[in-house]
Amino acid sequence: MSTPSKEATPETDAAAEKRARDERWQISRRGWTVLLSFLIVITLGLVGAFVPVPFVALGPGPTYDTLGAVENTQIVQVDGTQTYSTTGQLRMTTVSLKREVTLFSAFGLWVSGRYALAPREEYIKPGQTEDEVQQQNVKLFQDSQSDAEVAAMRFLKHPVKVVVSEVTAGAPADRVIEPGDRLLRVNGKQIVQQEDVVAAVEPTKPGQTIEVVLQRNGQERTVSVTLGSAPDRQQGYMGIRGVDRADVPFKTTIHLQDVGGPSAGLIFSLAIIDRLTPDDLAGGQPIAGTGEIDVKGNVGPIGGIGFKLVAAAEDGAKTFLVPAANCAEAKADPPPGLQLIKVDNLAGAVQALEDRKAGRPVPGC
């Protein structure tokens, strides 16, 4: 007996076709999920690798021996007077600042232990361009060189003079006094140091006319200035800034490019003194240091002391001159074998180096 065949009914065909469509859709949906996941991973990777984050990375920067040369050019050069040979090193230290940091590079730098991250706005103010920041740092570096020279000349008992560094546009002194003019007398008072300019104007009133004796291009001249007013003072206002500068018949030049900030002042002063005296301050040893210096020789605190200690040790320094205000931070985790010497001023730094060379006790952090 034959078994009757089961012919496909329209309902059965429709169900099979639906199942096939469902299976094709399921495969397609899995493919889209994989593709979407892949695109998300690629996007995150591109963002992490190329999109900057609002941070900068700080780390050890290069050091420079101010008694040596860079590209065959002496860093601290003195012409027109007797100089003395030196031994050892006086290394200025810097902090490396990476301005463009991505998410991945920031993580890598942080994990390395050599760098720290800081908010970008602490170093580049909102609205500032990279060029403006660079120009500001270069100006600070140039001012530190001038202040270092003045501090060194004062220590060596050489005379200084007061020159005009800035004249405010539209101020009473504008077009009457020029940048570079040497101030001899203001309102009858002899000008010996920059504080004398402020003292000379102190007893005046707005609207009063005073005489200023100055020297321009080697020629002495007397000019009159009718003082104006300023919202932050009651006395008369000229609109000039006087600064102390060395008054010596020789020339000191510091040849160093692509470095910014004021923190090399102390080491520059020591290098100038070492060139102009037979003392040989470094005494054949690699010495490093940092510190902002003013024209009176006072040493001020700086940033990034920890990074500078690391850089100095890696470049062979055995002694580091630390501004007194940075001592607590410096002694928290110094590199092994690096002697820390506390300095308050230029005279103290010179004495400490002489004591170290002679084997006498030195002030430590």
Side-chain angles (χ1 to χ4, degrees):
M1 179 182 295
S2 62
T3 304
S5 63
K6 297 182 179 179
E7 296 183 359
T9 64
E11 291 78 12
T12 301
D13 290 340
E17 185 176 349
K18 182 177 181 302
R19 282 196 301 272
R21 285 199 306 269
D22 289 344
E23 289 174 357
R24 287 197 299 270
W25 169 246
Q26 288 174 359
I27 295 173
S28 178
R29 184 167 55 188
R30 285 196 298 270
W32 278 109
T33 301
V34 171
L35 179 59
L36 182 60
S37 300
F38 178 75
L39 291 175
I40 291 174
V41 170
I42 291 297
T43 300
L44 291 176
L46 292 172
V47 169
F50 296 104
V51 177
V53 294
F55 291 91
V56 296
L58 306 172
T63 71
Y64 302 90
D65 176 20
T66 56
L67 298 179
V70 172
E71 296 181 353
N72 298 319
T73 300
Q74 193 73 39
I75 291 181
V76 175
Q77 182 177 335
V78 181
D79 297 305
T81 190
Q82 181 179 3
T83 58
Y84 298 85
S85 60
T86 61
T87 63
Q89 302 174 1
L90 287 173
R91 304 195 75 88
M92 58 164 283
T93 52
T94 67
V95 173
S96 170
L97 176 64
K98 298 182 183 294
R99 294 185 175 92
E100 295 297 329
V101 180
T102 65
L103 181 62
F104 288 170
S105 65
F107 181 74
L109 292 169
W110 178 75
V111 169
S112 73
R114 288 177 59 83
Y115 290 85
L117 300 177
R120 181 181 175 87
E121 63 185 16
E122 291 184 7
Y123 295 87
I124 303 176
K125 304 301 181 185
Q128 272 189 321
T129 65
E130 295 279 353
D131 287 342
E132 289 172 341
V133 173
Q134 180 65 20
Q135 291 172 4
Q136 183 180 22
N137 285 334
V138 169
K139 177 66 164 55
L140 289 172
F141 189 62
Q142 292 171 342
D143 289 345
S144 77
Q145 294 176 14
S146 298
D147 292 348
E149 181 186 6
V150 174
M153 294 305 111
R154 273 205 167 99
F155 176 83
L156 296 172
K157 309 303 181 184
H158 290 299
V160 298
K161 59 185 176 182
V162 180
V163 301
V164 177
S165 65
E166 296 177 14
V167 179
T168 303
D174 192 16
R175 302 181 183 278
V176 179
I177 298 175
E178 298 178 1
D181 287 347
R182 177 178 181 176
L183 299 176
L184 302 177
R185 289 185 297 279
V186 173
N187 195 29
K189 180 177 178 60
Q190 185 177 3
I191 305 301
V192 179
Q193 57 186 357
Q194 59 191 26
E195 292 87 352
D196 294 338
V197 181
V198 177
V201 181
E202 185 68 30
T204 64
K205 298 293 183 183
Q208 180 179 340
T209 299
I210 63 172
E211 288 189 345
V212 177
V213 181
L214 53 84
Q215 189 178 73
R216 181 182 302 165
N217 299 325
Q219 300 295 318
E220 184 174 316
R221 63 177 67 187
T222 301
V223 299
S224 296
V225 179
T226 300
L227 302 177
S229 60
D232 60 342
R233 66 192 70 190
Q234 295 182 341
Q235 66 270 25
Y237 168 68
M238 274 202 297
I240 66 172
R241 177 173 177 257
V243 295
D244 293 346
R245 290 294 178 257
D247 186 19
V248 293
F250 54 88
K251 183 178 181 180
T252 300
T253 308
I254 297 176
H255 301 280
L256 197 59
Q257 303 296 323
D258 301 324
V259 178
S263 64
L266 170 62
I267 296 298
F268 283 145
S269 289
L270 291 172
I272 293 170
I273 293 171
D274 216 8
R275 289 284 178 202
L276 293 173
T277 62
D279 291 343
D280 191 19
L281 295 178
Q285 298 298 310
I287 294 169
T290 189
E292 185 174 356
I293 200 166
D294 65 18
V295 293
K296 299 296 194 299
N298 299 307
V299 177
I302 49 80
I305 185 70
F307 301 121
K308 294 182 177 183
L309 293 175
V310 171
E314 291 179 347
D315 283 350
K318 302 301 181 184
T319 302
F320 197 101
L321 302 175
V322 182
N326 289 119
C327 262
E329 183 182 359
K331 69 180 183 181
D333 187 26
L338 187 63
Q339 180 188 26
L340 305 182
I341 296 180
K342 179 176 69 173
V343 294
D344 292 284
N345 51 54
L346 179 58
V350 172
Q351 186 63 53
L353 290 179
E354 291 177 343
D355 289 341
R356 182 206 62 81
K357 188 171 59 173
R360 296 188 292 264
V362 297
C365 282

